[in-house]
Amino acid sequence: MVALEFQAVVLAAGRGNRLPELTINHPKCLLPVGPYPLLWYPLHMLQKHGFEEVIVVVLESQKSEIQQALDTTQLKLKLDYAAIPSDEDFGTADSLRYIHDKIKTDFILVSCDVITNFELYPLINKFRQHNATVASLLFPSTVDVNLTAMGPKTKYKPDRDLFGIHPDSERLMFLASAGDFEDTLSLSGHLLRKIGKLNMHSRLVDSHIYVMKKYVVDFLKTKEQFATIKGELLPYIIKKQLARNPQPSKDTGHSEIVTTSKVDEGIFHHLSHSKLEKEIISASLFNDSRTTDPYNGDVIRCYAITLPSGKFGIRANSTQTYNLANQKILSMWSGFVESNTVPLISPNAVVNCTQHNMIAVAENANISEKTRLNSSVFGPYCIVAPKVTIINSIVMGQAIIEEGCIIENSVIGHKVTIRKGCKIKNCLIGNSFTLDEGSEKQMAVLTNDGFMEI
């Protein structure tokens, strides 16, 4: 079983810097997506794959709130909450380094903002088949998706990454941010001679789902300068595929474990070799036709597979992709749960209205009668008064919508109060904001620091 072979780690200590209006005094991982918090989706995915225990990395100041929120869901996992200091500015690699002592085996690492109905087995099998150091899942970019604007009309420009993948083996041989290059991309001649051919991709997104060797976190423990996984740790490991261990074996040409500390071997010092290495090489389906060794002597190997057609995957790490994730969940719910046994409307919610279509309602939300709701999400403990119309919107936890309001294509933040008779369209309203009675707003971002509109 996968759960016996790997540990599972979910990183949920991010501060949500790309969703600042919605994460002020509220954990990013608890933002509502459909009827559950964002963090529920990676945990549910791991549960479907047979995991019974998961390490969840959280901020110390948010641990209690996150634990209470997940206790109300139907997850059957044993969650080991690893709390990192709230006053530290930890990156993803810092968080992984902090829990080094908890990692005992090879592991699966997932970000809390990943939502996908992809089954992990192809990724895991790629990792197993080639005895890989890292195997990563890539999503298609949402840059070409028609994302409805909320707030001032600005063109959505997500960060782009460049991935260099060998087309036959799916070896990941290059990773960099497109922002690091102006007009020209230069590749190492050594890389091109070695790999033969390389497909460059600029419309793929790192899903932040990885399968990793245990020695990766051992190595990370010694490299305190690495703050992020995708930006620093992964590019380092990918480049090291081209390097040679300073102390190769004379008999096999493959590297052996080196114990001396006189030479800085980097990650090679932490390599551990399976007794099945030769069998794995000989049984591999990949052969680059230029050498009898399908791996060209590489002892560090990175792979990437892309999301198959027909599967959905997104990282809800910006206002635009968070909104898109909610839209998709409503139309694809049966693809995320088994036999549609988990309802979009919580049995502990009060929904008295009869005019509703494609809505998700979380725990203890209260929806009054004489309301009209369509394609919208309602977070826990929110209250919607009578004679309210809400279309294509997200109303987060503990928000209050008073009588006679009309809300369209908007996100209403945590603990927001919308007074009577307000009309809101294409707006983003930040946490704890109060909108005065009878207000009319379009294409505005409203927060307690002021508001913008055009």
Side-chain angles (χ1 to χ4, degrees):
M1 282 185 64
V2 172
L4 297 178
E5 184 179 354
F6 299 95
Q7 288 179 272
V9 179
V10 176
L11 299 179
R15 300 178 187 273
N17 294 330
R18 295 181 180 181
L19 302 104
E21 299 87 0
L22 304 178
T23 54
I24 297 173
N25 300 320
H26 187 67
K28 169 190 171 182
C29 66
L30 295 187
L31 294 178
V33 177
Y36 288 111
L38 187 55
L39 178 54
W40 181 86
Y41 292 88
L43 292 174
H44 182 258
M45 176 184 67
L46 292 168
Q47 181 175 283
K48 286 199 304 183
H49 286 79
F51 285 93
E52 297 178 354
E53 299 183 11
V54 178
I55 300 169
V56 183
V57 183
V58 299
L59 290 175
E60 178 64 48
S61 60
Q62 298 177 349
K63 177 182 175 181
S64 177
E65 184 177 358
I66 293 170
Q67 186 171 1
Q68 289 178 18
L70 291 180
D71 284 347
T72 65
T73 68
Q74 299 182 22
L75 292 171
K76 299 177 182 178
L77 295 165
K78 178 182 177 182
L79 302 180
D80 177 8
Y81 293 95
I84 65 174
S86 300
D87 56 353
E88 297 285 349
D89 186 18
F90 274 24
T92 50
D94 295 320
S95 295
L96 186 57
R97 184 186 302 110
Y98 193 80
I99 64 165
H100 167 266
D101 293 341
K102 290 181 176 289
I103 307 298
K104 308 297 182 184
T105 67
D106 296 345
F107 60 101
I108 295 174
L109 183 67
V110 188
S111 173
C112 75
D113 56 22
V114 175
I115 301 176
T116 182
N117 57 3
F118 172 74
E119 292 190 352
L120 295 176
Y121 300 115
L123 183 66
I124 292 168
N125 290 339
K126 177 69 71 172
F127 179 85
R128 288 167 167 163
Q129 177 188 359
H130 299 290
N131 197 24
T133 301
V134 178
S136 175
L137 175 65
L138 305 179
F139 290 158
S141 173
T142 58
V143 68
D144 297 322
V145 176
N146 184 20
L147 297 175
T148 308
M150 292 183 180
K153 189 174 182 180
T154 56
K155 190 174 180 180
Y156 174 48
K157 295 181 179 180
D159 296 334
R160 282 189 183 273
D161 291 311
L162 298 176
F163 298 91
I165 302 174
H166 186 269
D168 299 329
S169 66
E170 297 184 296
R171 281 280 294 273
L172 178 59
M173 301 301 298
F174 182 87
L175 169 61
S177 171
D180 294 339
F181 306 93
E182 294 183 0
D183 299 319
T184 304
L185 169 65
S186 298
L187 296 176
S188 161
H190 176 50
L191 168 62
L192 296 176
R193 287 190 298 271
K194 179 173 184 174
I195 202 69
K197 52 186 175 180
L198 196 65
N199 288 348
M200 297 299 299
H201 302 268
S202 63
R203 294 183 178 271
L204 293 175
V205 175
D206 188 341
S207 72
H208 282 219
I209 298 177
Y210 312 110
V211 188
M212 291 186 174
K213 285 289 189 186
K214 198 267 183 186
Y215 65 71
V216 171
V217 76
D218 294 336
F219 162 71
L220 183 61
K221 179 71 173 177
T222 69
K223 292 293 181 180
E224 295 187 0
Q225 69 269 32
F226 287 171
T228 63
I229 293 173
K230 191 196 77 172
E232 295 170 298
L233 177 63
L234 279 185
Y236 171 89
I237 296 174
I238 290 167
K239 287 180 182 178
K240 285 299 178 180
Q241 294 179 100
L242 301 177
R244 285 287 176 267
N245 190 331
Q247 307 241 347
S249 165
K250 294 181 180 180
D251 296 329
T252 66
H254 291 282
S255 304
E256 304 293 342
I257 297 175
V258 181
T259 57
T260 177
S261 59
K262 295 181 181 180
V263 180
D264 179 16
E265 297 105 1
I267 195 170
F268 291 103
H269 180 73
H270 300 272
L271 287 174
S272 57
H273 295 282
S274 167
K275 294 181 180 180
L276 297 178
E277 179 80 10
K278 291 182 180 180
E279 286 83 351
I280 290 172
I281 291 175
S282 63
S284 172
L285 298 176
F286 167 62
N287 190 329
D288 69 0
S289 76
R290 296 185 297 114
T291 173
T292 56
D293 177 3
Y295 303 113
N296 296 319
D298 297 340
V299 292
I300 295 175
R301 298 188 283 273
C302 301
Y303 290 83
I305 66 173
T306 55
L307 190 72
S309 176
K311 293 294 183 179
F312 171 75
I314 193 171
R315 287 196 63 214
N317 62 345
S318 69
T319 304
Q320 290 83 358
T321 55
Y322 171 63
N323 182 40
L324 178 62
N326 272 287
Q327 293 175 15
K328 291 293 186 180
I329 284 295
L330 292 174
S331 62
M332 300 175 61
W333 183 243
S334 61
F336 288 87
V337 296
E338 301 85 353
S339 304
N340 210 19
T341 56
V342 183
L344 276 171
I345 298 178
S346 168
N348 295 322
V350 176
V351 180
N352 290 323
C353 73
T354 57
Q355 296 186 61
H356 62 77
N357 178 49
M358 288 183 63
I359 64 171
V361 185
E363 285 267 321
N364 298 305
N366 192 318
I367 310 294
S368 299
E369 60 184 358
K370 299 181 181 180
T371 55
R372 186 165 69 92
L373 315 174
N374 187 35
S375 301
S376 295
V377 171
F378 299 88
Y381 296 94
C382 72
I383 298 174
V384 179
K387 300 180 181 179
V388 166
T389 297
I390 300 178
I391 300 171
N392 191 34
S393 296
I394 303 166
V395 178
M396 293 179 58
Q398 300 183 52
I400 299 173
I401 313 298
E402 294 187 354
E403 187 173 337
C405 293
I406 300 175
I407 299 173
E408 183 178 353
N409 188 44
S410 296
V411 177
I412 310 301
H414 188 69
K415 295 184 178 180
V416 165
T417 299
I418 308 296
R419 298 295 186 195
K420 293 180 180 180
C422 291
K423 295 181 180 180
I424 302 167
K425 185 174 182 179
N426 300 333
C427 290
L428 172 62
I429 303 184
N431 293 347
S432 303
F433 188 87
T434 297
L435 188 60
D436 293 337
E437 182 175 337
S439 298
E440 296 188 14
K441 299 293 181 183
Q442 288 196 40
M443 303 182 71
V445 175
L446 302 107
T447 69
N448 286 320
D449 295 326
F451 71 90
M452 269 190 314
E453 66 176 324
I454 58 172

